[in-house]
Amino acid sequence: MSYTGSAPASSSLYWKGMESSGDPHPPILAGAQNAWDMLSDEQSQKHITTGSGDLNNILGGGIHCKEVTEIGGVPGVGKTQLGIQLAINVQIPVEYGGLGGKAVYIDTEGSFMVERVYQIAEGCISDILEHFPHSHDFDDLALRTRVLSGLSLKLMKIAKAFNLAVVLLNQVTTKFTEGSFQLTLALGDSWSHSCTNRLILYWNGNDRYAYLDKSPSLPVASAPYAVTGKGVRDAVSSNHKRVRVT
Amino acid sequence: MRPPAPRPPAASSSSSYSQREPRPENPLLLLPSCRAAKLSLGCPLLDRLLSGGLPAASVTEIAGESASGKTQLCLQLALLAPQSPLSASALFLHSDLPFPLHRLRGLAPKSRPDILDHVLVAAAHSPTDLLSLLSRAQRLLANPGRSPHRLPIRLILLDSIATLFRADFDASPADLKRRSALFFQISAKLKELAYRHHCVVVVTNQVVDVVEGDAGNTVAWSSGRRVSPALGIAWANCVNTRLFLTREVDGASGIARRRMKVAFAPHLPERACEFVIRRDGVFGVEPAGEVGAPVLG
């Protein structure tokens, strides 16, 4: 490694041949960031509260911005409710400890019911939402795989570039593997690598639980939650129930 | 009869991929029209259970064992649609034979002899039959000018989805995959009809016995059996709202109690309402001796 004569002290590293560039400190790789800066960014990162303290705890404060989180579960367990709750909670003004942000809700199922959104917003502080309905129908598997991987890359880029939390609600299907039918998340193995975090919603008897299945920094853990008229909240017995890590 | 709105040319029937750019909408502006866009069941108690009735632009499933009231409810809805603010014709697709024409005529109000003009009936004998019927419905709704004397179709009933998949499919993985593919195709067409033409879509389903260990909001007791709607999770993912009709014999009095339960819905809490099937239709009843019935586990 050599330093040009006119370089300021140490923090910039040059390769020979870069002196002719107009920028006195050309970075080695455009867009790269050093690890210290990354760490301090991460520590000041904000989270979107889910409405349930227990659920926030296993998520390290809430849903992270700059990351893609997948939430999967059987029909009726509360994916859409949580999605709408997050779309509302991201808008909590900064003065109230929120992010003062906006949400884009892309509904591919037809589950986005405005009157419910209104109820949840009335249960919290409301603001303007944006809603895009559209549907896709893929017969060509190769095309579908290309679209999915292109989509996941785009989502990660957008998440990082604009400091957004991208939340994907995914359905559960049964797959025949190893001689029996098992519940798996839809869209297959290649998709499962595309998300930074994964939260699975499931039933334990008549109670709803969330299981943090994938996270770069947090341990796997379960937490109970409830869906009330006002939206997603802690389960009624949350203070007394022992949370089991499976 | 309202004049047909100007529409873009209908998309090709084999794919529901929208050719137009999706438009973002402000939900606050949608609120007044969406509150009005519900089909009342003709009974204030059942309407209260459903916060007004069945929503348009959405697929509602009514599941229950045989003789639980599913078909009766569909016939009732078909006759209510022309009389409601929706002011719509009903398209009744049936897979169980024969179509209960007698019951339909018995339910029709004497004051409106013309009402049967607004109920279109077609039989589907297989999943492919159904897909082709739905394609025809898409073309029919896209060209409303062709039948000026009839109210526009705004209610689509399918009774039942389960019958179409009883024969022809074993439990082998390949067959289940083929079956799921058909569910998605059928549901895509139903949802496209629901959104594009602001229709109320109702699909009835049968039930199957479930083993111990299954839990959650889609398992219930009916006639002494622990049951769940048929066709599995794959089909459950295709509907927006699931209503469960159950029947339990009260041990003490020996009276059969029927309940309509909201198994899941994006806009409704999980609650239930007792109902009866009378000669003049399906109606909710106040639970005997209880105010504010608790939600069934």
Side-chain angles (χ1 to χ4, degrees), chain B residues 77-94:
Chain B
L77 289 165
L79 294 170
L80 284 167
Q83 306 175 71
S84 73
L86 269 186
S87 193
S89 283
L91 176 61
F92 200 122
L93 305 168
H94 67 103

Side-chain angles (χ1 to χ4, degrees), chain B residues 144-159:
Chain B
R146 295 253 219 93
S147 25
H149 303 296
R150 206 195 306 116
L151 297 170
I153 296 174
R154 291 272 127 78
L155 170 64
I156 298 172
L157 302 144
L158 171 57
D159 184 22

Side-chain angles (χ1 to χ4, degrees), chain B residues 181-202:
Chain B
L182 286 165
F183 292 159
F184 299 138
Q185 284 177 54
I186 290 170
S187 128
K189 281 199 194 290
L190 287 172
K191 285 190 177 175
E192 208 251 357
L193 283 163
Y195 289 142
R196 193 170 284 211
H197 305 284
H198 216 62
C199 290
V200 176
V201 177
V202 177

Side-chain angles (χ1 to χ4, degrees), chain A residues 71-82 109 111 169-174 182-186 199-205 207-210 225 227, chain B residues 213-219 228 232-240 242 263-265 270:
Chain A
I71 300 178
V74 296
V77 76
K79 304 185 292 293
T80 302
Q81 302 299 311
L82 188 49
E109 287 187 337
S111 308
L169 308 181
N170 197 0
Q171 296 173 345
V172 157
T173 60
T174 40
Q182 293 177 15
L183 282 183
T184 49
L185 287 178
L199 194 64
I200 311 266
L201 307 181
Y202 64 99
W203 290 102
N204 186 356
D207 299 322
R208 290 177 159 92
Y209 273 80
Y225 69 98
V227 178
Chain B
D214 277 4
N217 54 15
T218 57
V219 175
S228 185
I233 291 181
W235 173 251
N237 276 317
C238 294
V239 304
N240 298 116
R242 169 170 276 173
F264 61 77
E270 288 157 32

